[in-house]
Amino acid sequence: EVRLVESGGGSVQAGGSLRLACTGSGFTFDDPHMGWYRQSHGTECDLVSSIRSDGTTEYADSVKGRFTISRDNAKNTVYLEMNNLKPEDTAQYYCAADRLIGVVALASCGPPFISYWGKGILVTVSS
């Protein structure tokens, strides 16, 4: 059984920083493509950033220059360093993984278009 366990998150004032981590286990395939999505009330589940095992990254325009994704392949762990946080970054953040993450927006964060998801972790940014 594949498990994605998220950590980090919490509450911060605008301009502050947070770091999220997600560790995956139980994969039946090598080199999962891993990433972070976020969803707040009444909005879509949007791709924030993703990273392949070769280090290729993708970022949403809204977070470019502020967020940095990285991974430790040996630990199947992906990190999201979030700097200069804004109130509009407030959302539930979800770790996701599959052979390929090619979807930038979903109605909700969960299967089936991407197979594996964490339970989500809340990030709150106050003004």
Side-chain angles (χ1 to χ4, degrees):
E1 178 186 4
V2 173
R3 291 188 67 206
L4 299 177
V5 180
E6 299 132 330
S7 61
S11 298
V12 66
Q13 288 190 326
S17 299
L18 288 171
R19 187 190 197 213
L20 305 181
C22 170
T23 298
S25 61
F27 292 110
T28 59
F29 52 91
D30 294 329
D31 303 328
H33 189 181
M34 300 182 74
W36 293 92
Y37 285 75
R38 66 186 182 186
Q39 186 168 29
S40 54
H41 291 300
T43 67
E44 291 182 319
C45 175
D46 293 322
L47 176 66
V48 176
S49 183
S50 71
I51 184 168
R52 298 173 189 254
S53 59
D54 66 358
T56 303
T57 59
E58 181 180 2
Y59 293 93
D61 287 343
S62 60
V63 306
K64 284 180 180 176
R66 301 188 297 121
F67 291 12
T68 303
I69 193 168
S70 60
R71 67 186 283 165
D72 182 334
N73 288 335
K75 298 179 180 180
N76 269 339
T77 297
V78 62
Y79 305 96
L80 186 67
E81 187 74 36
M82 305 184 293
N83 296 315
N84 190 21
L85 282 159
K86 303 176 180 180
E88 52 263 41
D89 295 316
T90 295
Q92 193 82 358
Y93 284 69
Y94 296 87
C95 180
D98 210 327
R99 288 178 172 83
L100 177 66
I101 296 176
V103 181
V104 297
L106 298 162
S108 62
C109 292
F113 294 105
I114 298 172
S115 298
Y116 308 111
W117 293 83
K119 293 182 178 180
I121 194 163
L122 183 61
V123 171
T124 303
V125 184
S126 57
S127 57

